[in-house]
Amino acid sequence: PVTAGAARLAAVRTRPRLAWLRGLLRNPLTLSGLLVVAALFLAALLAPLLAPGDPTGFALSQRFEPPSGAFPLGTDDYGRDILSRLMWGARTSLQIGLVVVLIAGVSGFFLGSLSGFVRGPLDLVLMRLMDVLLAFPPLVLALAVASFLGPDLRNAMIAISIVYVPKYVRLARGEALALRESLFVLAARAAGVPPGRIILRHLMPNSLAPMLVVATLDLGQVILVAASLGFLGLGAQPPTPEWGAMVADGQTYLFEAPWIATFPGLTIVLAVVAFSLLGDGLRDVLDPRLRS
């Protein structure tokens, strides 16, 4: 009987953990976004094994080959296989998205939680600084920072991270303001728990769900901003495959060889839409106000 009771208790505890996954897979749009995202990550991880050609090697005798059995997506002006460059470019674009969201999310999460819990002069100064950054259009600010730092993949990631930090700071601050008067936080403060421990053990874990939703939605937007910087020559530098740079390379031959720019552009659109669908599904599952 004790074993059976323990098993039933474990099952009850497991159901809420799996409920969000079942809800995620039940929505066809979310499931399609999840499958596309998984395919992009698999293509990036397995690019050395699956790519049919060298993404950086020149083959001038094969320039401007249209899509065919030998080259499923055609070749560019240097004879490089478009499909291989797209798969290797997925590594670059997804790396930018993950690194930027991680840097902006972690730093903004901590700064916003600290600002909302402590309040006072720190909150005032930090929020005015965030207001200054939010006053600039995101792409314009990213262009300005990337131009100042110089054209490079690492500098592009730093520039985009600076653009996205204010969003996470404000979101984390709003969650901290809502939680700082909660009973469990008041009890921790009355027990003499240090503010840093309250932030790390109580505020941040209880604010994690909306941060995950925003981070998933931002992955697609970060890829789009990174592609814009790459298109303007401020992102990954040749011969590194990158989707935005591939579109820039193909714009010169848009009428003679439209596949050079079309397929990278469609890949960017597909990635942005997939992350948006996945983020919307996570929001519907993790937000109790939207559950049916």
Side-chain angles (χ1 to χ4, degrees), residues 174-198:
E175 293 293 325
L177 289 175
L179 292 171
R180 70 190 303 267
E181 302 301 331
S182 302
L183 292 179
F184 62 91
V185 175
L186 295 176
R189 295 173 66 179
V193 178
R197 187 175 179 84
I198 294 177

Side-chain angles (χ1 to χ4, degrees), residues 47 51-59 62 71 75-76 78-85 88 239 241:
D54 186 355
T56 58
F58 293 171
Q62 301 172 351
F71 304 102
T75 62
D76 63 6
Y78 291 104
R80 299 172 295 191
D81 182 58
I82 299 294
L83 178 59
S84 300
R85 288 181 60 77
W88 282 90

Side-chain angles (χ1 to χ4, degrees), residues 138-228:
L139 184 57
V140 173
L141 181 58
L143 285 171
V145 177
S147 301
F148 176 77
L149 297 176
D152 183 69
L153 180 60
R154 181 182 61 182
N155 294 339
M157 289 190 287
I158 294 174
I160 303 174
S161 299
I162 294 174
V163 170
Y164 278 86
V165 163
K167 174 189 288 189
Y168 291 94
V169 171
R170 284 207 164 272
L171 178 60
R173 177 180 180 269
E175 293 293 325
L177 289 175
L179 292 171
R180 70 190 303 267
E181 302 301 331
S182 302
L183 292 179
F184 62 91
V185 175
L186 295 176
R189 295 173 66 179
V193 178
R197 187 175 179 84
I198 294 177
I199 293 173
L200 294 176
R201 294 294 301 273
H202 297 287
L203 295 186
M204 296 182 69
N206 285 282
S207 306
L208 191 58
M211 299 294 291
L212 287 176
V213 173
V214 173
T216 306
L217 291 170
D218 281 347
L219 275 169
Q221 298 301 318
V222 168
I223 290 174
L224 184 60
V225 174
S228 302

Side-chain angles (χ1 to χ4, degrees), residues 5 7 27 68 82 101 114 122 142 187 190 203 227 255:
N27 188 330
S68 62
I82 299 294
V101 169
L114 180 64
L122 175 65
L203 295 186
F255 295 101

